[in-house]
Each structure stands twice: as structure tokens, then as C-alpha cells.
Amino acid sequence: MDGISPQGLNWLKKNLWRPQPPPRRLGPYELDKEIGHCTSGALHQAHHSETGRTATLLLLRQTSGTSLAPLSLTHPHIASLREGGSVDGLHYLVLEPLEGMTLDAALVPGTMPRDRLLSHLCDVASALEGVH
């Protein structure tokens, strides 16, 4: 969307895009809580109902153009993709558990020391380079 600032786009996403609430369960995974958003969809902390293993589920907004090629990515700053699935037309990816604060939270002035923030941003840049 040309001409819209990132802040404006975030406002639009939060205030105009109203997805249906996700189900409490997707396949063998029970959703515990929403932990963030990305361009692909919403991230949820979840656990496998049989093994108890925790994971992060990415509930995809759309599947056209979505590839499972990231399953083969290995990078220290990219979450490992374990599997993918679909339940009643809702597609999801299962990632290793994600911990820590979101990038949005880290960018709030005063949240963390500048040198630490710059180090994290270098990690993000390294991950992007690894993908592209």
C-alpha cells in the first residue's frame, strides 16, 4: 500500500481487519494465548494435547503464495518450522516455541539499552539475509 506509513498500516490492521476468533484446538494442538502478529498471520502459544510439548502456531491469513520451503531453513535467528496443517480450511504452521518480547515492544524508546537493541536488529537483518 503506497503512501501509508508503517504506523498507519499497523493501525489499519488492528482496527479494521477483524478475523474470526481462532478455535481453541487445531488438530492435536490446543491454543493457549495469542502472542503476536506478523505479515502472514497471528502467532499463538500452544501445546500438543498428547505429548504436552509446547510450540508456536502461526495461523495463516491466506495460503496463496505460502510455501513450506522454510522447513529447510536453518538459521540461529529464525524459528524452526516443525510441520504444517489445516483444519476446516484454517491453515497453520507449527514452529518451535518463541519466547521474549516482540519487535514492536522492543522498539518502544527506553525499553532496552540502545546497544542491545542494535544487536537484536543486526540479528533480524542477518535472519532476513538468510531467507533471501
Side-chain angles (χ1 to χ4, degrees):
M1 300 176 92
D2 291 338
I4 297 178
S5 70
Q7 295 84 3
L9 187 57
N10 284 336
W11 184 90
L12 287 171
K13 286 179 185 175
K14 289 178 183 173
N15 293 287
L16 299 179
W17 184 69
R18 299 270 187 230
Q20 294 295 321
R24 295 286 305 144
R25 185 181 181 104
L26 283 171
Y29 292 93
E30 300 219 14
L31 302 184
D32 298 323
K33 67 179 180 175
E34 186 174 291
I35 58 173
H37 288 91
C38 65
T39 56
S40 299
L43 295 159
H44 290 262
Q45 179 180 327
H47 68 275
H48 194 283
S49 59
E50 295 169 11
T51 66
R53 187 172 80 170
T54 60
T56 297
L57 264 61
L58 171 57
L59 308 185
L60 300 170
R61 289 188 179 149
Q62 60 185 1
T63 57
S64 62
T66 301
S67 166
L68 292 183
L71 282 169
S72 64
L73 285 175
T74 303
H75 190 280
H77 303 297
I78 297 176
S80 297
L81 194 52
R82 293 179 174 164
E83 61 181 296
S86 178
V87 174
D88 296 328
L90 181 59
H91 301 278
Y92 63 92
L93 299 176
V94 180
L95 296 91
E96 66 181 296
L98 299 177
E99 296 178 3
M101 71 173 57
T102 64
L103 183 58
D104 282 346
L107 292 175
V108 173
T111 303
M112 69 174 59
R114 184 174 181 213
D115 58 336
R116 186 167 170 218
L117 177 60
L118 290 174
S119 174
H120 286 308
L121 291 175
C122 287
D123 294 342
V124 170
S126 172
L128 289 172
E129 181 181 44
V131 172
H132 299 285

